[in-house]
């Protein structure tokens, strides 16, 4: 089973989990979203649109910000490349600053630490304004072939999955757990995830 297939299995799980009761309801006060962009070498490849994968990712991230929402929208801009991720902009409602930050990003030429970046983004979300009732989300922009750069020291490091369902100990299993419970070793209740997740480039639902 290829890394791309295994990543898609994770995404299928993540996009079908339902929101925590009271969190993703009409009564929520704010939306907190991490715009998580892949800057690894594979993102420099061209698409049928004439843009590179990375240029398309930036454009779609900008579209999400421009769309806004019915509640206050707080965004953070995070990217990953090599063996780590970078928080380029902490959470803010300043759309001009968010768009400026997205425009300033450049694609890299290294590997894709997918698990490390997703799990780190969950931590960023859970630490931000925990006293406020908010919908916590990760909008993921990547077309990489699985995880190729998460360091062994990362909380979500693990071998790739080898079965249709995430295998305990695999990085897919740990990322799934992190989204659901906030703990890579705790499966939690998939019906009540702490963080919603979608891959925008692969067409996963968002909103």
């Amino acid at each position: 089973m290829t890394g791309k297939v295994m990543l898609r299995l994770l995404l299928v799980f993540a996009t079908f989990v339902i929101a925590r009761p009271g969190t993703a309801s009409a009564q929520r006060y704010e939306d907190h979203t991490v715009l998580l962009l892949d800057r690894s070498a594979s993102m420099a490849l061209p698409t049928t649109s004439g843009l590179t994968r990375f240029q398309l990712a930036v454009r779609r991230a900008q579209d999400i910000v421009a769309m806004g929402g019915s509640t206050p929208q707080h965004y953070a801009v995070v990217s990953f490349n090599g063996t780590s991720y970078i928080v380029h902009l902490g959470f803010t409602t300043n759309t001009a600053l968010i768009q400026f930050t997205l425009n300033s990003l450049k694609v890299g030429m290294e590997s894709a630490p997918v698990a490390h970046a997703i799990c780190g983004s969950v931590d960023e979300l859970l630490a931000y304004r925990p006293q406020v009732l908010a919908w916590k989300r990760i909008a993921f922009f990547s077309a990489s072939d699985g995880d190729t750069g998460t360091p062994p020291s990362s909380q979500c490091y693990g071998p790739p999955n080898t079965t249709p369902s995430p295998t305990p100990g695999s990085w897919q299993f740990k990322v799934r757990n992190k989204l659901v419970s906030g703990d890579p070793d705790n499966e939690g209740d998939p019906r009540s995830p702490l963080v919603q997740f979608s891959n925008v480039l692969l067409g996963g639902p968002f909103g």
Side-chain angles (χ1 to χ4, degrees), residues 93-181:
T93 58
N94 186 331
T95 57
L97 181 57
I98 298 164
Q99 299 287 23
F100 175 83
T101 302
L102 288 169
N103 275 325
S104 71
L105 299 181
K106 305 296 182 184
V107 71
M109 294 302 296
E110 299 180 72
S111 54
V114 172
H116 185 48
I118 294 175
C119 291
S121 294
V122 172
D123 287 335
E124 296 289 334
L125 279 162
L126 298 183
Y128 181 65
R129 292 172 62 81
Q131 76 280 8
V132 175
L133 186 63
W135 193 352
K136 305 284 188 175
R137 304 189 283 188
I138 295 175
F140 186 64
F141 303 83
S142 176
S144 293
D145 189 10
D147 185 299
T148 58
T150 291
S153 59
S154 173
Q155 61 182 314
C156 289
Y157 175 81
N161 195 49
T162 56
T163 61
S165 299
T167 305
S170 69
W171 68 262
Q172 290 94 337
F173 179 79
K174 292 181 179 181
V175 168
R176 182 191 68 177
N177 293 350
K178 187 72 176 181
L179 291 165
V180 171
S181 69

Side-chain angles (χ1 to χ4, degrees), residues 1-12:
M1 184 178 295
T2 68
K4 183 172 291 185
V5 170
M6 289 185 287
L7 180 58
R8 285 179 181 272
L9 286 172
L10 170 65
L11 299 177
V12 167

Side-chain angles (χ1 to χ4, degrees), residues 27-48:
Q27 287 73 43
R28 68 182 187 273
Y29 301 141
E30 299 176 352
D31 281 14
H32 302 163
T33 303
V34 169
L35 302 170
L36 180 58
L37 291 91
D38 183 351
R39 291 191 303 109
S40 67
S42 66
M43 296 297 285
L45 295 175
T47 68
T48 56

Side-chain angles (χ1 to χ4, degrees), residues 12-73:
V12 167
F13 168 84
T15 54
F16 276 94
V17 290
I18 62 176
R20 185 172 34 162
T23 301
S25 69
Q27 287 73 43
R28 68 182 187 273
Y29 301 141
E30 299 176 352
D31 281 14
H32 302 163
T33 303
V34 169
L35 302 170
L36 180 58
L37 291 91
D38 183 351
R39 291 191 303 109
S40 67
S42 66
M43 296 297 285
L45 295 175
T47 68
T48 56
S49 69
L51 301 174
T52 66
R53 290 174 171 178
F54 187 71
Q55 289 170 328
L56 183 61
V58 170
R59 180 169 294 184
R60 291 190 176 172
Q62 291 174 322
D63 288 344
I64 287 174
V65 175
M67 186 185 312
S70 59
T71 58
Q73 304 291 307

Side-chain angles (χ1 to χ4, degrees), residues 167-205:
T167 305
S170 69
W171 68 262
Q172 290 94 337
F173 179 79
K174 292 181 179 181
V175 168
R176 182 191 68 177
N177 293 350
K178 187 72 176 181
L179 291 165
V180 171
S181 69
D183 181 346
D185 299 315
N186 181 357
E187 295 185 53
D189 184 352
R191 297 170 299 176
S192 304
L194 293 177
V195 176
Q196 301 295 299
F197 179 94
S198 64
N199 188 319
V200 180
L201 289 187
L202 295 184

